[in-house]
Every structure is written in C-alpha cells, then in structure tokens.
C-alpha cells in the first residue's frame, strides 16, 4: 500500500518534539510504503495566527514521508513500529530521529536519522542491526557517506 491507510497501522507509534518553535510529530506506519516495509510520516504543526490553536490540518509543505534505509528495508521490516526523538547530536538545533525496525534482517534493527536544521529531512542515517550491535564494534560508512552501518557483512 502506498501512503498511510488502515492497512499501514498509521499511528502505531507517535513522538513529538519542538524545533524552532514548531511542534514536529513523527508518526509510524509499520506496514505502510510501496513494499509494506513501513514508513514514518514527519509532520510540522504550525499555530494559527492568534497563536492559541493548531491549524486544523497541516499543509502539503509541512510533512515528509521517510522510508527505511536499504539495509533495513524489505517486506515485513516494520519500519516505524517505534519512533523517538533523540538528542541533537550534530548541534544544528534539531533533535535526531530514532526509528525501530523489528523485522529487519534476522533479529531487527534501528535507524538513527540525523535531521537537518528544519527537522523534516534526514541528511545522514546510521543503520544499527542486532547482529552488529551485539556482535561487532566497528562502524563503517557506505561510499555515498549517507548511511553508516554497524556490523554489516561486507
């Protein structure tokens, strides 16, 4: 299924944070996406002009759909089963996003997305697999520099 729908379990996990005065939501849909491997919808909620109420619905320019990184993708990966905002590890003012992927590989995994200063675009992702976290200590980068892997077989 493409996009959130009843079959995608949209809302299975929700996290909220404040970025530059704007509330950001990360909403997991662990059965969503083109191949059913899951997705996370990031939504920026703006306040109405009076500042007392949220807009009734976010506009198209205030949301983004994240798909699982290649090493954690695949039918049944369940990307988006758990979502949380972490500390601002890169110091750009936006917290990083951590997404649980329990169906990834044979034992599950986690995607750590470093978010840009606006908080709606990941610019780097670290894939953490159970095999890697429990059985290896090396952190390697892929050639593109966009995805790091812990313990992935070469």
């Amino acid at each position: 299924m493409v996009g959130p729908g009843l079959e995608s379990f949209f809302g299975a996990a929700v996290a909220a944070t404040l970025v530059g005065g704007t509330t950001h939501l990360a909403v997991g849909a662990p059965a969503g996406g083109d191949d059913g491997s899951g997705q996370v919808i990031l939504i920026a909620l703006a306040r109405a002009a009076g500042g007392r109420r949220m807009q009734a619905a976010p506009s198209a320019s205030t949301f983004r759909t994240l798909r699982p990184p290649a090493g954690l993708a695949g039918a049944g990966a369940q990307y988006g089963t758990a979502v949380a905002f972490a500390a601002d590890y890169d110091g750009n003012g936006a917290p990083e996003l951590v997404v649980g992927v329990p169906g990834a590989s044979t034992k599950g995994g986690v995607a750590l997305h470093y978010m840009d200063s606006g908080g709606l675009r990941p610019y780097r992702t670290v894939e953490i697999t159970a095999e890697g976290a429990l059985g290896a200590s090396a952190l390697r980068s892929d050639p593109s520099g966009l995805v790091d892997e812990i313990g992935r077989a070469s």
Side-chain angles (χ1 to χ4, degrees):
M1 163 161 232
V2 177
L6 294 177
E7 298 85 7
S8 71
F9 299 109
F10 179 79
V14 179
T17 192
L18 196 60
V19 178
T22 301
T23 300
H24 286 219
L25 299 178
V27 182
D34 296 335
D35 63 358
S37 63
Q39 58 190 12
V40 172
I41 314 311
L42 295 174
I43 305 168
L45 298 175
R47 293 187 178 269
R52 296 182 192 265
R53 297 178 18 206
M54 298 301 235
Q55 292 176 347
S59 70
S61 64
T62 61
F63 79 93
R64 177 163 314 279
T65 301
L66 300 181
R67 306 249 186 318
L72 299 175
Q78 301 173 9
Y79 174 83
T81 298
V83 294
F85 287 100
D88 177 14
Y89 297 124
D90 56 11
N92 69 356
E96 315 322 340
L97 178 66
V98 182
V99 180
V101 195
S105 67
T106 59
K107 295 182 174 80
V110 174
L112 170 59
H113 297 288
Y114 285 81
M115 304 306 288
D116 70 0
S117 60
L120 285 178
R121 290 181 199 263
Y123 68 88
R124 178 178 170 224
T125 296
V126 175
E127 297 176 5
I128 304 167
T129 62
E131 296 97 332
L134 301 174
S137 60
L139 177 66
R140 299 187 312 265
S141 294
D142 81 332
S144 70
L146 296 176
V147 177
D148 290 334
E149 300 175 294
I150 295 178
R152 280 248 183 253
S154 299

